[in-house]
């Protein structure tokens, strides 16, 4: 299977309400260009250095999403151009992004990362922590971040019902946040959920952004 045909197949398969983030981490420029030639415009990277190396070498209309764990000391490298930061997992990080956005005069689109998986190691707010954060009003003074929605990962398991339950938790949280705190905020609209192995379930459970790497580009060589 070629990159081009995988992109085309995914485009046919995904509903119009779900956009594709092609996760290009660890894959070279020429493979990204093949996906670009097939019409793909949103690409996801998880390391700041790699993203900053690729960005100037590739077409400027690419919408670069940062999907990894962001360290505060690297924020300023991506804030000038990043299209969406998926994994914001602390108020401290959000405040630092806000500060940098203000410095460069750019409102930075972000998703709050929510932990719903069984594994202990993953980053993110629990659904309750997220509700408390928003209810506490701490976000109100952050004028230079735009909270576009939430992002989460399901457990690494073959248990499809477990995965479905976790995506449903994410969608329920999104709905609660939307109806209580973001009702009049049209930019709060994204549910980033689903990867190569579980995106069909994520789509059924209301994903608006799927992050797919391996299925498009093949295995990564670390
Ligand atoms: C690497 C990565 C993906 C893509 O995973 P695949 O299984 O290759 O599709 C999606 N989301 C995040 C957060 C990632 O780090």
């Amino acid at each position: 299977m070629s990159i081009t045909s995988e992109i085309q197949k995914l485009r046919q398969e995904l509903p119009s309400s779900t956009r594709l983030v092609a996760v290009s981490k660890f894959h070279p420029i020429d493979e990204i260009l093949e996906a670009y030639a097939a019409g793909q415009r949103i690409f996801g990277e998880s390391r700041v250095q790699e993203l900053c190396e690729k960005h100037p070498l590739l077409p400027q209309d690419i919408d670069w999403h940062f999907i990894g764990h962001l360290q505060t000391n690297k924020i300023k490298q991506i804030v000038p151009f990043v299209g969406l930061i998926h994994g914001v997992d602390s108020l401290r990080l959000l405040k630092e992004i806000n500060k940098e956005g203000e410095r460069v005069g750019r409102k930075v689109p972000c998703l709050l990362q929510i932990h719903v998986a069984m594994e202990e190691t993953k980053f993110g707010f629990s659904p309750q922590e997220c509700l408390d954060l928003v209810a506490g009003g701490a976000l109100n003074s952050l004028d230079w971040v735009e909270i576009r929605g939430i992002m989460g990962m399901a457990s690494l398991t073959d248990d499809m019902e477990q995965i479905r339950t976790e995506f449903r938790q994410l969608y329920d949280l999104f709905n609660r946040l939307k109806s209580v705190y973001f009702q009049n905020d049209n930019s709060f609209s994204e549910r980033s959920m689903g990867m190569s192995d579980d995106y069909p379930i994520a789509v059924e459970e209301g994903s608006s952004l799927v992050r797919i790497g391996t299925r498009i580009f093949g295995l990564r060589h670390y």
Side-chain angles (χ1 to χ4, degrees):
M1 270 300 181
S2 70
I3 292 169
T4 304
S5 61
E6 288 297 345
I7 294 275
Q8 287 167 346
K9 252 177 33 193
L10 281 164
R11 194 173 297 140
Q12 286 179 351
E13 200 179 320
L14 296 173
S16 58
S17 52
T18 310
R19 291 179 303 150
L20 171 63
V21 180
V23 176
S24 50
K25 63 188 186 194
F26 293 92
H27 290 285
I29 297 290
D30 58 321
E31 293 182 6
I32 299 175
L33 281 172
E34 185 179 340
Y36 182 89
Q40 181 62 27
R41 289 296 178 273
I42 310 176
F43 290 87
E45 291 281 339
S46 61
R47 296 183 305 173
V48 168
Q49 189 187 338
E50 184 176 352
L51 173 54
C52 290
E53 282 169 11
K54 287 172 170 175
H55 168 247
L57 302 175
L58 283 154
Q60 291 305 297
D61 64 342
I62 286 181
D63 184 3
W64 288 105
H65 288 194
F66 187 77
I67 62 168
H69 180 66
L70 184 57
Q71 293 166 286
T72 50
N73 62 350
K74 299 199 171 151
I75 291 170
K76 61 172 170 303
Q77 297 180 53
I78 65 170
V79 156
F81 68 89
V82 72
L84 184 62
I85 301 174
H86 285 234
V88 180
D89 63 355
S90 71
L91 179 57
R92 175 169 165 259
L93 184 59
L94 211 49
K95 284 178 172 168
E96 292 295 325
I97 296 170
N98 185 70
K99 203 186 285 179
E100 190 57 24
E102 178 169 25
R103 204 180 65 81
V104 302
R106 178 167 193 259
K107 205 163 168 150
V108 189
C110 294
L111 303 179
L112 300 175
Q113 184 170 353
I114 312 300
H115 175 88
V116 288
M118 296 181 294
E119 292 93 16
E120 293 275 333
T121 55
K122 292 198 176 136
F123 298 103
F125 300 99
S126 72
Q128 191 57 51
E129 284 168 348
C130 181
L131 285 166
D132 291 346
L133 174 76
V134 177
L139 307 186
N140 297 345
S141 59
L142 303 179
D143 294 330
W144 295 93
V145 293
E146 183 172 78
I147 308 291
R148 291 253 181 103
I150 62 171
M151 176 269 211
M153 282 180 269
S155 298
L156 294 168
T157 172
D158 295 332
D159 182 346
M160 296 300 166
E161 283 314 306
Q162 176 70 26
I163 291 171
R164 188 176 296 282
T165 301
E166 292 169 356
F167 286 143
R168 204 163 280 182
Q169 283 175 341
L170 290 172
Y171 194 81
D172 288 347
L173 175 65
F174 171 85
N175 274 339
R176 268 183 85 178
L177 292 168
K178 180 77 191 167
S179 63
V180 180
Y181 305 103
F182 293 95
Q183 215 166 7
N184 301 315
D185 180 351
N186 290 331
S187 58
F188 189 87
S189 60
E190 304 285 7
R191 289 85 54 196
S192 169
M193 50 191 209
M195 309 172 31
S196 290
D197 287 338
D198 58 17
Y199 75 88
I201 305 175
V203 168
E204 285 171 8
E205 298 303 327
S207 172
S208 69
L209 286 169
V210 287
R211 310 174 310 270
I212 300 184
T214 310
R215 156 99 197 248
I216 297 169
F217 296 106
L219 293 176
R220 291 178 283 272
H221 302 289
Y222 294 103

